[in-house]
Structures are given as structure tokens and as C-alpha cells.
Amino acid sequence: MLRVLMVLCLAISALAAELGPNVPDGHTLHLWHLDEGAAPFADSGTPPQMLEGLLNGAASGQRSLEGLGTAISFKANAGGTPGASDLRGAILLARPQVANGPQDNVPRGFRYFGPGGAFTYEAVVKFDVLPKDAGVVACGLISMDGDGGDRIFNFRIEKEGFLSFIPLPQGGASGLALATIPTSGPHAIDTVHWFHAAVSYDGNAGVANNLKLYWTRLEHGLTEANQIGSGTLSAGFSGASGDFAIGNEARTFAGNAEAEPFPGVIDEVRISGVARHPSDFFFVAPGSRVSPEEVMARRTNAARRPDSRLRLENVFVDASSPQLPSSPGGALKLSPGLHRLDFDFGFGPDNPGGSIKLRCQLEGIDDRWQETERGMGLVCQALDRNDRVISQTRFPFIGTSSGWETALEDSAMTRRTEPVYIPAGTTALRLSLNSGSPDTTGFVTLDRISLAAPGKPEASLWKNGSIALSEITARAAGAPEGWRRDGSDPAIARLIFRSGAGFLALVDGDQQHHGEWSSVQPISPDGGGAFVLSWEEAYNVSSGSLHRATYVNVPPGSYTFRVVGLAGEGGLLGDGVSLPLVIERPFWQRPWFGPVLAAGLVGLIAAGFVARLRRRTKRRLEALRFQNALEQDRIRIARDLHDDLGTRATVMNMTAALAKRDLDIDPGKAHRHLDKMTDAAREMVVALDDLVWAVDPAHDTLDQLASHLTRVAEEMFRDSPVRCRLDIPAVLPPRPLGAEFRHHLALAVKESLHNILQHAGPCEAFLSFEYDGEKITLTIRDTGRGFDPKAHGSGHGLSNTPDRIREIGGCYAIDSSPGRGTCIVIICRLPQTPT
């Protein structure tokens, strides 16, 4: 933080080293340095106009930007309600006191524009509080706005964040300049830096963009002022005088006081009789400035080389800017569907075309050329049952309405009536209040919209023509029922409430965006015909240099937008401009769709037939697979019955015959044969139980296999000299296993344990069972006699057991040597669980 402050101090010091106060030149009408400790404040202009009234808490001698002396603070008041018109805010004016009448007017010889009507008004300012938090009606900079018939102009900052210059009714001029003060970037408004605010007028009345607005953060190395917007004066000032004031407006009559105090400090106020070039201000090094004489020379040379070329400046598709074709004659291609198209065109900001009229046409939509108009507008469109526009009428707003004062809040609403034609077949009507091309700025407000048949004004077909204050509309983003915001900056569309009544409004100070209110209502005009559209309005609109043509719900197809200029008695001027565009048809309307659909249907039928055959074949294969598995189980059971139970039955039969033979000859021997028969019978029961376990599907799970192996080991070593230790998890998941898998694995383990019992002698045996989610590992180990596997190629189950394991896809390994015991490891990957 300290480093930032040091850098800021160094930057201010470097700026102060270059800056000095304004120096009057031949075009300076008035210049107030405001360095005096108290009123009066000297004027360096000719003839000078002293400023004698420092009132309502305004404080002189305040610290200014280094190099500029001192300044005056206007962040004070002497009573009234903050944010209301009765606030008596700080003010500096020409006369000692504010008066309700002409007593506080400047003298008749006070000059505030040059011989050709041109002027530049400028001041240096620093905010203590940002405008939105100031609690004032507006933030006055320089004004000649008094009471009665002496209201000339107001140069101020609106609470919404606009820099505005507003000609007032008694000044003779009309128009507006309005621009959004930056909130980001190098010139963003804040309460830390000093700013230079200026407005200039070049004296060319009625020419678009003849007003320029500047907002510049004062810092090192500036080469020109930062232009933030422009506007238009349709006529210059008449020379009438009024209440001249700095930092406020000098209005004092019942219910209206000095309600626009500047929330901070003002210094170096200058009025010039020319439109100064952006480089011709005090913060630019003298050697880099362009003098008014040089500006006039450039303008004269430009007039000798008029540029009559039309330009298509912007194209908006559904309020977004598409990528225009790079090659000349290339077509703009748009996605399928209905689109809104906005075209902005003109002669450019420095050559607005004078009295040249423009006509445009969208070939494929317009049957004839349409004359274009600038400014904001109310558009009435008749829609058919497919929501296509079948008729359109535009009513422009440009200049000021008859009841306009200073702002929307204090301007009187006037009634306007216009004829509209609604064709037969109209099912809905759309009204759009739009701010026109992006370089159009100003204010418009509408209320009491009505659509009626001639002679029947009381029966309005438009149902929501007045805006009622409600929970929804009172919100900042609220919208009246049936209305919606649109445009590249929908925030331009606002609601204004005054005395409990609501108004649709457009407040546009942004020269890069546009906004819109729109509403669609069903309508049945009884066959169509002429109707009367009326509304109440108040507006002050400054048109830019661009014209706008709007087309809504343009269907798929090929079009060409054309613009031509008309000069004199209708002769064409130049070659005009054109832009081909193609809105793609939906895929079902394209030529290839029918054949592709037919081919697709044939393919679907064929695919369905093939799928049916595949399903039938799959069922057959599954039946064969099941039958084969059944046969395998039968073969396995038969083999087990023959190999195990059959052998045991044969042994029992032979033993019974021997017992019968020896019963009379050698009873003791006969008893031994009977004992052997009993053991064989018991073993046969165990083997039969193992066989039943192997074929029972209820045991086809991992946990059942582990339980079975535990039981087999315990029973096998119960009365033997072998001590068996088990390491088998107590809890295992019931993962499904195939009957063949568990049967072979169980027999392989049983055979290995049997070999320990038969051949290892008294020892310890170990059986461990490990499961990792994918495979099981069985380890069978003993500490018995051991043997040499190479010397025992057969016997001990050394051939049968590995074959069983390999049959189920497992691995079998044995390690043994005489006197060191035996270790067998079996690893089997579990079969995939069927999904």
C-alpha cells in the first residue's frame, strides 16, 4: 500500500511539474482560476465577469491539483432535503445573491459562445463522493439555468453516471449531448484523481455530432482529451442571458432551490468561443496542441474534398454482432430460424451527409425503397399467425418535445396522435420503443398508449398502455406486465416513476450500445383498416450520424440489403452499399432432406430387420450355450460319480465279500473288513455331500466358497497328527461365481490338503485366502517331509490339480524339497459378473 501511495505521489509531482493554470488566448471568453480566498473571483476574459456569490456553504481556498493554485468545494448545503428539488446547495454565481427573477442574471453583454456560435466549456474537478452516492438531484458543473424566462443551458453530471450538456427552453438552442462516464480503464471515475470535463460545439447547427463531450483523468503524458461521446445542437444559442453559476444551478422559486451542488471540488473554469481540438487544453504540452486556426484550415480543406461514400457501419443479428464476410461481395450466412436484423449506415461521424436523404431496401422483404430516419423511435408492427411482420410503421423521436425542460422528471408530457394501417390477417401487434443506432443518445418517456378505431378513442385495443407501480415494477430490473427489455444493453430501457405514475423510458448515454422496450399483444382488428395510435411523450434526443433499418422475424432465404443516397431532386448519389445475406433453411426444408429421409427410413427398416435376426441368433446361441453348459455339468457330475463314488462303492463291495468269506473262518479279520466298510461308507457320504455342494447354485458365491474350504480343512485334519492353521477373511462379499469355477477350485484345494494328510507326516499346515477385488490367491503350505517334485512326475495329485486350475484360467505353482515341507500357490482371476 505504501508503495502504491509513493508511486501516486510521484505521478502527481511529475504532472505538477508540467501543469500550470490556463493561459488566456484570443479565443478565451472567460477564465476563472478560483485562487482567491473569498469572493469576488477574478475573470481573465474580455470583458471580465467577476463571480461575487459564494453561497450555501461553498468553501474557497481548497487544495487543488499542484500547479493550479486553490479550488472551491461545493460539498455543503444550507438546508432542504437531500436528493430533492428544495435543497439549497453550495453555489458560486455571478451575482452576490440568488434571486427569484432577473436580478441575478449576468449582464446582457456576457459572452458564452463565439461569433459563429461555437463554444467550449471546461472545468477541472475532483469528487469527494461519487455521483450515485451524493444525495443530490444532479452534479452541476457550469450552468445558466435560473427561473422564469432565463433558462439557457446546463452542463452537469447526472446521478446515473452521465456527463450531459442540455440546452434549455429560453436559450434558442435545442438538442442534447449525453455520454456515459467511464467506470473502468484509464479514465474511470473515482474519488482519488482529478478529472477534466469539457463540452464543445463547432457552430454547424443541425449537423450530427456537432457537440463533443470529454472526460479525462489528469495524469502525466496526456496528448489530448478523452472523448466519451457526442451529440447534436439543431440550432445555436440566441444570446439570451440568465443566471450564470458554477457548481450548481441558480434556481430559486417556490419548491425549487439550488438542488444540484457538485459533490467535491471545482477549479480552472474556462469558456471559449471556439470548439477546441482535443489537444488544445492546458494539460497538453504547448508544442503538441492543434490551434483553432489549424482546425479551421483542416475543415476548409476537408470541405473542398467532400467524402460522399456511404458506409455500412454495424450489423446486428438478434442484438449480437456477427462476423461480416471479409471478401467483397461475400454473403453473411446465418443459422436457420427467424432473425431480427438491424443495419446501421451513414456517411461517418465527420461527414454526416448534410441534407442528403438515404433510402434502403432488404430485397426479398421490402417491395419498395424505404426512407430512413435517425433518432429514437416507436415502431408499430402488424404480425400474422406465423409471427411474421406484414406491416411496419416507425414514429421518430429527435430533438426535444414541446414540454421538455431539463430532465425526464421535470418535463411535461404531451399527447401525440398518429395514424397506423393494420392489414387484414393481422393476429398480433408489436410495439417497440427503441433507442435507434448506437450513436444516438438522449431521453424518451412514454405513457398512456392507446390504439383505437377512428371516432372511438374510448375503446382501446392496446391493454397495458399505462404502467402501474407494483412490487415487480418497483425493482431495478422489474418490467411491466407484457413488456420486455432488449438490445445490446437492456439497461438503457428503464422505468420512471413520478407522483405514483409509471412511464416507459429510454435513458441512453452510451454511444456503443442500444436498448429497447417491446410488447406483443393479440389483436383482432375486424378485417383491418386505418386506426389511431396515440400516447403521451417527453423526449430530448440527439441523433448520431448513423441511420438504422430494422427487420424483425426475417425467415430463411436469400436477401440483399441495399442503401442509396438521394441528392437534389431525387438523383442517386454514389454507388451506395449492399450486403448479401443468407439465412439457412432448417434441415427439413433443404433439397437433400427428402432423399436422405427416404434412405434413412429404408436404412432403419433394414437395420430393424437385421437387429431382429441378430436377436433371434443371439437367443439361439444362448440356448446352445446353456445346453452346452448343461452337458458339461452332466459330464462333470458323471465323471465325479464314476471316479470317486464308483471307486468307493467298488471298494465297499470287495470289502463286504472279504468280510463274508472270513466271517466263519476268521471272525477277527471279518470285523476289520466291516470297520473298513464303515469308514468307506462315511467317506462316501462326505464325497456325496461335496458333490451336492458343487452342483447347488445357492453356493455360487465367493463367501460360500470360503466357508466350504474352511469346513473341508477342519473336517480333514480333525483327528489327524497335522495341526491346521487357517487365514481366511471372516467377511467376504457375496460375489457370484460359476459352478464350474468353484467346483474345480474346491477340488484342487481339497486334493492339496489330502496330499498333506497322506504324505507330510506330523506337521503344521497353513491355508490362507486373499481377495483384492479382482482375483483370489490361495496359499497351501506345510512343514512336513517334503519331496522332490521332479522325482515324482505322477501321484500326489501333481498332474490332476494343475489341470483343474488351468481349466478355469488360473495359475498353479508348487515348491518343495525333502525335509523342508511343501508350498502351493493358486491364483485365479474371478469371472466377470454378468450385467
Side-chain angles (χ1 to χ4, degrees):
M1 184 65 183
L2 180 60
R3 181 178 298 178
V4 173
L5 291 175
M6 291 178 63
V7 171
L8 182 59
C9 291
L10 289 174
I12 294 175
S13 299
L15 179 61
E18 293 188 2
L19 283 184
N22 272 305
V23 176
D25 57 16
H27 305 285
T28 300
L29 304 181
H30 302 281
L31 173 58
W32 296 278
H33 295 298
L34 305 179
D35 291 335
E36 291 80 2
F41 294 89
D43 178 9
S44 299
T46 305
Q49 175 62 57
M50 306 291 281
L51 301 181
E52 303 179 27
L54 190 65
L55 307 175
N56 300 343
S60 61
Q62 304 299 305
R63 182 178 180 182
S64 184
L65 186 62
E66 290 190 30
L68 300 185
T70 59
I72 294 178
S73 170
F74 294 88
K75 190 188 174 186
N77 66 79
T81 305
S85 58
D86 66 342
L87 180 67
R88 295 173 58 206
I91 186 172
L92 172 62
L93 68 160
R95 299 306 189 188
Q97 296 294 331
V98 179
N100 185 13
Q103 295 85 357
D104 54 351
N105 287 2
V106 290
R108 192 171 293 273
F110 180 81
R111 297 192 299 162
Y112 55 97
F113 56 87
F119 59 79
T120 300
Y121 304 154
E122 59 182 301
V124 174
V125 300
K126 181 180 181 296
F127 291 94
D128 291 333
V129 180
L130 291 179
K132 64 183 180 66
D133 303 320
V136 295
V137 173
C139 311
L141 296 173
I142 306 171
S143 70
M144 200 181 294
D145 182 9
D147 35 59
D150 51 9
R151 305 191 64 200
I152 312 302
F153 71 85
N154 207 325
F155 181 38
R156 67 185 190 180
I157 296 172
E158 310 291 341
K159 281 181 61 66
E160 295 84 356
F162 302 120
L163 182 64
S164 66
F165 178 79
I166 306 170
L168 298 176
Q170 285 75 39
S174 62
L176 174 71
L178 181 72
T180 302
I181 297 175
T183 56
S184 61
H187 300 283
I189 187 172
D190 58 35
T191 58
V192 176
H193 298 87
W194 287 82
F195 296 89
H196 176 262
V199 58
S200 69
Y201 167 61
D202 63 13
N204 295 312
V207 176
N209 301 322
N210 53 21
L211 277 170
K212 300 288 192 301
L213 290 172
Y214 301 95
W215 181 264
T216 310
R217 179 188 292 177
L218 295 177
E219 54 189 12
H220 179 71
L222 292 171
T223 57
E224 62 178 36
N226 175 54
Q227 182 178 339
I228 61 172
S230 59
T232 303
L233 279 187
S234 57
F237 288 121
S238 63
S241 63
D243 299 346
F244 181 79
I246 295 174
N248 208 325
E249 59 176 1
R251 304 184 68 183
T252 299
F253 55 90
N256 200 322
E258 303 81 46
E260 299 179 6
F262 183 81
V265 184
I266 297 179
D267 196 8
E268 290 294 312
V269 177
R270 181 170 69 169
I271 297 178
S272 303
V274 292
R276 292 192 179 272
H277 188 268
S279 71
D280 193 19
F281 293 107
F282 75 97
F283 50 81
V284 177
S288 302
R289 299 177 188 175
V290 176
S291 67
E293 290 76 15
E294 188 174 350
V295 171
M296 290 300 298
R298 292 179 181 181
R299 185 176 300 166
T300 301
N301 292 334
R304 293 170 184 167
R305 300 186 302 272
D307 183 4
S308 60
R309 291 176 301 170
L310 275 171
R311 299 178 178 86
L312 184 60
E313 296 287 347
N314 302 306
V315 177
F316 297 96
V317 179
D318 302 324
S320 299
S321 298
Q323 183 66 41
L324 296 178
S326 56
S327 59
L332 173 62
K333 295 186 178 180
L334 306 178
S335 60
L338 301 177
H339 292 285
R340 172 188 174 129
L341 306 177
D342 294 292
F343 301 93
D344 293 335
F345 48 90
F347 291 92
D350 297 325
N351 190 356
S355 60
I356 298 175
K357 293 183 178 181
L358 298 180
R359 288 185 178 180
C360 68
Q361 181 184 37
L362 184 60
E363 293 182 357
I365 296 292
D366 291 328
D367 295 329
R368 54 189 178 85
W369 290 90
Q370 307 288 336
E371 285 200 17
T372 65
E373 294 179 349
R374 293 180 290 184
M376 301 185 182
L378 178 65
V379 179
C380 178
Q381 296 172 324
L383 310 177
D384 64 11
R385 64 181 60 189
N386 297 318
D387 288 335
R388 297 186 180 182
V389 178
I390 56 178
S391 175
Q392 174 172 305
T393 307
R394 183 178 188 272
F395 306 103
F397 305 106
I398 191 167
T400 57
S401 60
S402 59
W404 185 263
E405 292 292 333
T406 307
L408 293 176
E409 291 77 10
D410 63 1
S411 299
M413 304 289 285
T414 56
R415 195 74 185 173
R416 180 172 173 181
T417 301
E418 298 283 357
V420 294
Y421 178 76
I422 301 180
T426 299
T427 60
L429 208 65
R430 177 192 285 118
L431 288 182
S432 301
L433 177 63
N434 64 74
S435 64
S437 59
D439 66 345
T440 299
T441 55
F443 310 91
V444 169
T445 181
L446 260 62
D447 190 28
R448 300 183 183 276
I449 302 171
S450 175
L451 178 71
K456 300 179 180 179
E458 69 285 349
S460 176
L461 301 176
W462 192 262
K463 301 303 180 184
N464 59 342
S466 296
I467 309 303
L469 180 61
S470 67
E471 181 180 348
I472 295 177
T473 57
R475 297 198 300 264
E481 182 179 359
W483 291 89
R484 57 168 290 180
R485 292 178 171 87
D486 207 343
S488 59
D489 184 5
I492 290 172
R494 305 188 185 185
L495 291 176
I496 301 295
F497 286 95
R498 185 173 63 190
S499 302
F503 307 88
L504 293 174
L506 298 175
V507 181
D508 188 356
D510 193 320
Q511 308 227 333
Q512 304 297 323
H513 297 91
H514 63 282
E516 180 177 291
W517 282 111
S518 64
S519 178
V520 178
Q521 292 189 18
I523 191 172
S524 299
D526 298 329
F531 287 79
V532 176
L533 181 65
S534 62
W535 63 88
E536 292 184 357
E537 65 184 16
Y539 60 86
N540 186 5
V541 176
S542 172
S543 68
S545 61
L546 298 179
H547 296 240
R548 166 162 287 199
T550 297
Y551 299 88
V552 181
N553 291 349
V554 180
S558 298
Y559 308 95
T560 300
F561 179 72
R562 301 185 186 278
V563 182
V564 295
L566 301 179
E569 297 298 324
L572 292 178
L573 179 66
D575 297 330
V577 295
S578 64
L579 174 66
L581 57 97
V582 176
I583 302 178
E584 299 288 350
R585 297 182 181 279
F587 66 89
W588 62 83
Q589 294 182 0
R590 300 184 185 182
W592 51 262
F593 179 73
V596 170
L597 179 62
L601 290 175
V602 172
L604 285 175
I605 294 173
F609 182 72
V610 171
R612 183 179 179 184
L613 289 178
R614 292 184 63 182
R615 287 195 299 271
R616 184 182 299 174
T617 303
K618 184 177 180 181
R619 287 195 297 269
R620 290 179 179 177
L621 287 175
E622 289 176 350
L624 290 174
R625 191 178 296 112
F626 176 77
Q627 185 176 356
N628 181 62
L630 185 61
E631 291 295 331
Q632 292 293 330
D633 284 342
R634 288 175 177 174
I635 293 172
R636 177 171 54 78
I637 293 170
R639 184 181 64 188
D640 291 342
L641 288 173
H642 178 269
D643 294 345
D644 192 3
L645 297 182
T647 301
R648 296 180 189 279
T650 300
V651 170
M652 289 179 64
N653 187 35
M654 293 176 62
T655 305
L658 292 175
K660 183 178 180 181
R661 185 196 65 183
D662 295 334
L663 185 61
D664 295 327
I665 301 174
D666 189 352
K669 194 174 183 179
H671 279 291
R672 287 194 299 273
H673 290 312
L674 290 175
D675 291 339
K676 186 176 181 180
M677 286 179 60
T678 302
D679 293 339
R682 185 169 55 251
E683 291 176 359
M684 181 179 289
V685 170
V686 173
L688 184 61
D689 184 61
D690 290 344
L691 182 62
V692 172
W693 177 85
V695 298
D696 188 354
H699 299 145
D700 287 346
T701 60
L702 182 64
D703 57 336
Q704 288 292 332
L705 174 62
S707 299
H708 176 71
L709 295 180
T710 301
R711 185 172 64 255
V712 167
E714 289 175 347
E715 291 180 355
M716 184 173 293
F717 296 112
R718 178 177 298 139
D719 298 323
S720 71
V722 178
R723 185 178 181 183
C724 181
R725 299 181 183 276
L726 302 177
D727 183 13
I728 298 177
V731 179
L732 286 169
R735 178 167 177 173
L737 302 174
E740 182 179 8
F741 180 89
R742 66 183 176 85
H743 174 68
H744 283 300
L745 191 60
L747 288 182
V749 173
K750 184 176 180 180
E751 183 68 26
S752 300
L753 295 176
H754 181 73
N755 285 338
I756 295 174
L757 183 64
Q758 293 294 321
H759 305 290
C763 65
E764 285 188 321
F766 301 88
L767 172 62
S768 69
F769 188 108
E770 298 178 13
Y771 168 67
D772 64 0
E774 297 293 333
K775 65 181 183 298
I776 58 176
T777 303
L778 290 165
T779 304
I780 305 162
R781 182 171 60 86
D782 67 75
T783 61
R785 296 188 183 95
F787 67 98
D788 185 0
K790 295 181 179 179
H792 296 73
S794 61
H796 303 288
L798 297 183
S799 176
N800 191 34
T801 300
D803 290 343
R804 287 185 181 276
I805 298 302
R806 282 192 290 270
E807 189 172 341
I808 60 176
C811 300
Y812 177 92
I814 184 170
D815 181 34
S816 181
S817 61
R820 294 178 56 193
T822 303
C823 180
I824 297 172
V825 178
I826 299 172
I827 301 176
C828 295
R829 185 172 294 275
L830 297 182
Q832 293 293 326
T833 302
T835 57

